[in-house]
């Protein structure tokens, strides 16, 4: 019997999960790594530490499952998107810390670009100009690391998002690739012509030689070096974490929608083989490319989702574990008039305000820690609501359900709040590790482990269906105060 391994390289930890042919988890391993905050608004990772943590999970999960490399049919890789690594081609050493997707250091530059380049860039990439994406991060590294630009122009440097960095290391420098889903998040890739855009490279002054080759999301790119495992394993899929979750949720029909509740909350809607240019501040992106067929998606990102719960634990120290927020929120009947805008790193879709900041409104003498906890959970759910409403406008039709996944989706409390606000069903599958599952499916397709997508569809099963319980009068009142709170938090920093 053969198995599929997924390497899931996230924002706060690296994981490896082994699945059998029926989507059952055989074993998993997880290693956290350091988060660096050198200045206000800056977020960095050590790319070497990421690599060390990821290869450690690979060997650990094989040991836990009592399997050998020869038992693994293929490896799929999913990754935190936009996070930018630049390394020396000859030594494989990063020339700086990786700049994380959450990092805001290029916000002022992005604002200057918006004045006359917003439509130009959106018409090619489907993206809003924002510090979120890779292009301005690469430019910053080339402009600020000594000798970086000179070395880049001489062809001595490589750029990659985390998927590229992992594959480069897994193959001992033999393979420098990415896939369309990740390339479409760089603000350098033309999602219509499906190639790196030379006009955008010129705008950001980034040499073409730095870039990885763009492949499909499901094919064999190369093989793991025997330095890491005792026999070569095909590296057979790549997908950005959110696109991987969309596939893992089997949202393969146009109009299907998923929301991942991780560090951030990310909503993707499958729009089929045609890119829909958003008129409501959402992103048009590539979902995946399989057998030369590209599927597109609309996306809205909440920068701070589960990270708000982490802040309540580590910053405010109001809870000891993330799960404690549910117990604390259950001590009160409602939010007591308290609303929390989780703009701890600015607001993403549909507001796109890099200068908004987190804020509580409605605190009174009667406010308790339970009200604060409930407001934090509701703040996550309200952000998701705002994005879906804009998606419905772009698609021209209403949604009737959302498939959910990610760590925070395990909270029945949060999922019930989400259903109440939407007034439709929230569906949680039996396996909420859909990001890893998505690339496992894509890798399995590439090596013939799965015959076709129809065979995979039969693997997806519902764990729990959350239906609305609150009255619509109460929901409308809550939405009124939520939007009032958001309005007051915008442009907090000048």
């Amino acid at each position: 019997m053969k198995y599929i391994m997924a390497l899931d390289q996230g924002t706060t930890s690296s994981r490896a999960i082994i699945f059998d042919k029926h989507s059952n988890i055989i074993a998993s391993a997880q290693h956290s790594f350091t988060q660096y905050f050198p200045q206000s608004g800056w977020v960095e990772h050590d790319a070497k530490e990421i690599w060390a943590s990821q290869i450690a999970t690979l060997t650990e999960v094989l040991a836990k499952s009592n399997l050998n490399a020869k038992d693994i049919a293929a490896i799929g890789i999913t990754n935190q998107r936009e996070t930018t690594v630049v390394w020396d081609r000859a030594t494989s050493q990063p020339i700086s810390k990786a700049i994380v997707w959450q990092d805001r250091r290029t916000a002022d530059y992005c604002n200057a670009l918006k004045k006359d380049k917003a439509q130009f860039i959106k018409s090619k990439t489907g993206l809003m100009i924002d510090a979120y994406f890779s292009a301005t991060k690469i430019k910053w590294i080339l402009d600020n690391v000594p000798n970086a630009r000179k070395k880049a122009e001489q062809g001595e440097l490589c750029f990659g998002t985390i998927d590229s960095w992992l594959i480069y290391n897994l193959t001992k420098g033999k393979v420098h690739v990415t896939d369309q889903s990740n390339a479409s998040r760089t603000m350098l890739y033309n999602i219509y012509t499906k190639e790196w855009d030379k006009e955008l490279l010129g705008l950001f002054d980034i040499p073409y030689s730095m870039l990885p080759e763009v492949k499909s999301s499901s094919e064999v790119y190369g093989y793991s070096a025997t330095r890491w495992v005792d026999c070569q394993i095909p590296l057979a899929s790549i997908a950005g974490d959110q696109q991987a979750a969309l596939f893992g949720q089997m949202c393969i029909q146009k109009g299907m929608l998923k929301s991942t509740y991780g560090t951030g909350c990310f909503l993707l809607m499958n729009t089929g083989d045609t890119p829909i240019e958003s008129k409501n501040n959402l992103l048009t992106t590539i979902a995946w490319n399989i057998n030369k067929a590209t599927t597109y998606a609309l996306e809205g990102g909440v920068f701070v989702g589960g990270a708000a719960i982490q802040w309540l634990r580590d910053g405010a120290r109001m809870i000891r574990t993330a799960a404690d927020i549910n117990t604390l929120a259950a001590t009160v009947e409602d939010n007591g008039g308290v609303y929390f805008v989780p703009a701890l790193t600015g607001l993403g879709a549909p507001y796109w305000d890099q200068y908004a900041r987190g804020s509580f409104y409605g605190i009174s003498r009667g406010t308790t820690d339970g009200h604060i906890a409930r407001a934090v959970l509701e703040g996550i759910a309200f952000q998701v609501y705002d994005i879906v409403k804009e998606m419905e406008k772009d698609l021209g039709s209403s949604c009737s359900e959302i498939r959910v996944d990610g760590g925070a989706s395990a909270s029945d409390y949060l999922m019930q709040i989400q259903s109440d606000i939407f007034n439709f069903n929230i569906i949680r599958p039996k396996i909420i590790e859909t990001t890893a599952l998505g690339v496992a499916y894509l890798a399995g397709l590439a090596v013939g482990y799965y015959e076709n997508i129809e065979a995979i569809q039969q693997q997806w099963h519902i764990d729990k269906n959350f239906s609305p319980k609150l009255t619509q009068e109460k929901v409308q009142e809550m939405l009124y105060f939520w939007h009032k709170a958001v309005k007051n938090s915008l442009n907090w920093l000048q």
Side-chain angles (χ1 to χ4, degrees), residues 150-170:
K150 181 181 176 183
K151 293 184 77 171
E153 288 168 354
Q154 292 172 347
E156 297 173 16
L157 298 182
C158 295
F159 151 72
T161 43
I162 296 296
D163 56 303
S164 299
W165 170 243
L166 293 180
I167 287 181
Y168 197 85
N169 281 282
L170 280 164

Side-chain angles (χ1 to χ4, degrees), residues 260-280:
T260 296
Y261 296 78
T263 303
C265 290
F266 293 90
L267 288 95
L268 267 73
M269 177 185 284
N270 185 327
T271 63
D273 58 7
T274 306
I276 294 177
E277 186 171 332
S278 175
K279 294 178 172 57
N280 297 285

Side-chain angles (χ1 to χ4, degrees), residues 241-270:
D241 52 9
Q242 304 313 319
Q243 290 96 328
L246 189 70
F247 196 78
Q249 286 278 33
M250 284 288 99
C251 293
I252 56 175
Q253 303 297 327
K254 183 176 180 179
M256 294 184 75
L257 174 67
K258 73 89 194 171
S259 180
T260 296
Y261 296 78
T263 303
C265 290
F266 293 90
L267 288 95
L268 267 73
M269 177 185 284
N270 185 327

Side-chain angles (χ1 to χ4, degrees), residues 222-241:
Y223 297 84
S224 59
T226 51
R227 164 74 175 79
W228 315 118
V229 285
D230 56 8
C231 71
Q232 293 184 330
I233 305 172
L235 306 175
S237 71
I238 305 171
D241 52 9

Side-chain angles (χ1 to χ4, degrees), residues 12-16 28-32 53 57 60-61 64 433:
T12 58
S13 69
S14 300
R15 299 188 304 159
S28 64
Q30 181 167 0
H31 287 218
S32 297
S53 66
T57 64
E60 183 181 329
V61 79
K64 279 184 170 181
E433 299 290 0

Side-chain angles (χ1 to χ4, degrees), residues 104-316:
R104 313 310 296 165
R105 75 186 66 182
T106 62
D108 289 343
Y109 172 64
C110 288
N111 277 350
L113 268 184
K114 285 178 184 176
K115 292 173 185 174
D116 60 357
K117 296 294 183 184
Q119 188 53 39
F120 170 74
I121 288 175
K122 189 174 184 181
S123 69
K124 291 171 175 285
T125 67
L127 306 177
M128 312 283 290
I129 295 175
D130 195 84
Y132 180 26
F133 306 109
S134 308
T136 63
K137 302 179 194 296
I138 304 168
K139 177 177 168 56
W140 189 95
I141 291 172
L142 295 182
D143 288 345
N144 289 276
V145 175
N147 296 320
R149 186 163 292 287
K150 181 181 176 183
K151 293 184 77 171
E153 288 168 354
Q154 292 172 347
E156 297 173 16
L157 298 182
C158 295
F159 151 72
T161 43
I162 296 296
D163 56 303
S164 299
W165 170 243
L166 293 180
I167 287 181
Y168 197 85
N169 281 282
L170 280 164
T171 61
K172 296 290 286 180
K174 287 183 179 178
V175 180
H176 184 208
V177 297
T178 189
D179 85 306
Q180 288 188 15
S181 73
N182 279 292
S184 72
R185 311 297 299 183
T186 60
M187 217 157 66
L188 296 171
Y189 189 72
N190 191 313
I191 63 170
Y192 301 95
T193 64
K194 298 172 198 164
E195 58 189 7
W196 296 117
D197 192 284
K198 292 183 179 176
E199 286 185 304
L200 292 176
L201 291 171
L203 174 64
F204 294 108
D205 199 12
I206 295 170
Y208 185 89
S209 61
M210 293 179 70
L211 303 176
E213 183 181 356
V214 182
K215 298 278 199 173
S216 79
S217 308
S218 178
E219 65 175 281
V220 176
Y221 317 108
Y223 297 84
S224 59
T226 51
R227 164 74 175 79
W228 315 118
V229 285
D230 56 8
C231 71
Q232 293 184 330
I233 305 172
L235 306 175
S237 71
I238 305 171
D241 52 9
Q242 304 313 319
Q243 290 96 328
L246 189 70
F247 196 78
Q249 286 278 33
M250 284 288 99
C251 293
I252 56 175
Q253 303 297 327
K254 183 176 180 179
M256 294 184 75
L257 174 67
K258 73 89 194 171
S259 180
T260 296
Y261 296 78
T263 303
C265 290
F266 293 90
L267 288 95
L268 267 73
M269 177 185 284
N270 185 327
T271 63
D273 58 7
T274 306
I276 294 177
E277 186 171 332
S278 175
K279 294 178 172 57
N280 297 285
N281 290 333
L282 301 176
L283 308 175
T284 306
T285 200
I286 291 176
W288 51 74
N289 178 279
I290 303 172
N291 296 329
K292 299 183 180 179
T294 298
T295 297
Y296 292 88
L298 277 174
E299 175 173 337
V302 170
F303 293 156
V304 174
I309 300 171
Q310 292 170 347
W311 168 79
L312 201 68
R313 180 192 67 197
D314 303 333

Side-chain angles (χ1 to χ4, degrees), residues 46 97 130 160 173 179 334 358 382 400 407 433:
D46 181 337
K97 289 279 200 304
D130 195 84
D179 85 306
D334 55 29
F382 283 131
S400 58
E433 299 290 0

